[in-house]
Amino acid sequence: QICLSLVKLLFYLAHSPLGSIVLLDFQPRQFVMVDGNLKVTDMDDASIEELSCKEDNDCTLDFPTKSFPLKCSAAGKCEGINEKKNLFNAYRYFFTYLLPHSAPPALRPFLGDILNATGDLRYGINETLKAFEKVLHLYKSGLYLQKRPLHLKDYISLKGFRMAEGEDYKCWPSYSHLGCLLSVHSAEEAAAICNSQPQCQSFIVTQRRTWTGRPLASFQSSPTDLIPDANAVVYIKRSASSGERL
């Protein structure tokens, strides 16, 4: 969410009515999230000036660890230097820390491509935004889920119950520090996740939604504490259920 919002912001800056705007003091502390959107807190160090040049050799974009040769345009300006400076700073301050860690495994190669392409400045802001929107579409639609054996058949469903909230085993990247609360596309994906975690014996797909509209599923190691709830369904591993427990 942070990276996509940042890319949308940089897209606007690259195509603003004033021209391409560069953030000269590009640091994480210069940004804040407001209602799910990233905002710049200080525009004092923004500039629409692009580096003047006489030849291509005048247009090297230098960073502490990398340098990029750019073209000198017929108008005597280094082509795209403001856009590229913003994008590489987004890569080194945001993308490298946030993109690789919390996506479903099937989407990580797509995010890896974005990371590599922006790190080498092979993508401009237009291509970067398009790539992010593709990943978001795959994520929201569930199209990233590969065809696999159905896991939900390994569970019995108890309609009209939910699990008592409380501290349980932890997982990454959980939306709760008390237990394992993950975003899922469906109960089938939740069943696949539960099967992949040795501690998991049951789960419930909650009514809570993330910013993408996906529901959150709560995974637990014990299905014993059940509370009546007409709108809920508890899924319990068949291997974990017994007549005494139910």
Side-chain angles (χ1 to χ4, degrees), residues 13 16 18-26 30 40 42-49 82 86:
L13 294 179
S16 85
L18 299 174
S20 182
I21 299 174
V22 63
L23 302 176
L24 298 175
D25 185 20
F26 197 115
Q30 298 286 75
V40 183
D42 185 2
M43 292 293 288
D44 289 346
D45 293 307
S47 173
I48 60 172
E49 294 296 322
N82 288 351
N86 284 341

Side-chain angles (χ1 to χ4, degrees), residues 131-237:
F132 266 101
E133 289 179 337
K134 176 183 178 181
V135 175
L136 180 63
H137 172 67
L138 294 172
Y139 185 62
K140 292 174 68 173
S141 65
L143 291 173
Y144 67 92
L145 294 169
Q146 300 168 347
K147 291 185 178 181
R148 61 184 73 180
L150 297 178
H151 295 281
L152 207 54
K153 61 180 175 53
D154 299 331
Y155 294 77
I156 61 171
S157 60
L158 294 178
K159 296 182 179 179
F161 291 93
R162 61 179 172 85
M163 294 181 289
E165 292 185 9
E167 191 165 349
D168 208 299
Y169 76 92
K170 312 296 194 298
C171 68
W172 174 260
S174 178
Y175 282 80
S176 170
H177 67 280
L178 295 176
C180 187
L181 187 66
L182 300 175
S183 165
V184 298
H185 178 258
S186 62
E188 178 60 45
E189 185 180 15
I193 292 173
C194 190
N195 278 0
S196 71
Q197 298 175 344
Q199 308 98 313
C200 185
Q201 297 297 315
S202 60
F203 68 87
I204 179 172
V205 180
T206 73
Q207 299 298 311
R208 295 170 58 189
R209 301 271 169 171
T210 69
W211 67 279
T212 61
R214 286 162 53 102
L216 292 174
S218 177
F219 301 87
Q220 291 194 354
S221 59
S222 171
T224 54
D225 299 324
L226 301 179
I227 299 174
D229 185 335
N231 298 316
V233 181
V234 175
Y235 296 88
I236 303 174
K237 276 185 180 178

Side-chain angles (χ1 to χ4, degrees), residues 38-92:
L38 207 66
K39 306 286 186 180
V40 183
T41 60
D42 185 2
M43 292 293 288
D44 289 346
D45 293 307
S47 173
I48 60 172
E49 294 296 322
E50 292 195 308
L51 187 64
S52 297
C53 57
K54 293 183 178 179
E55 55 184 25
D56 291 349
N57 288 339
D58 298 330
C59 292
T60 301
L61 183 56
D62 289 315
F63 292 96
T65 58
K66 280 189 176 183
S67 296
F68 300 96
L70 303 181
K71 296 289 185 181
C72 182
S73 71
K77 298 290 183 180
C78 296
E79 288 185 357
I81 191 168
N82 288 351
E83 172 188 329
K84 292 179 184 297
K85 186 177 291 186
N86 284 341
L87 189 55
F88 189 79
N89 278 327
Y91 159 81
R92 66 180 182 139

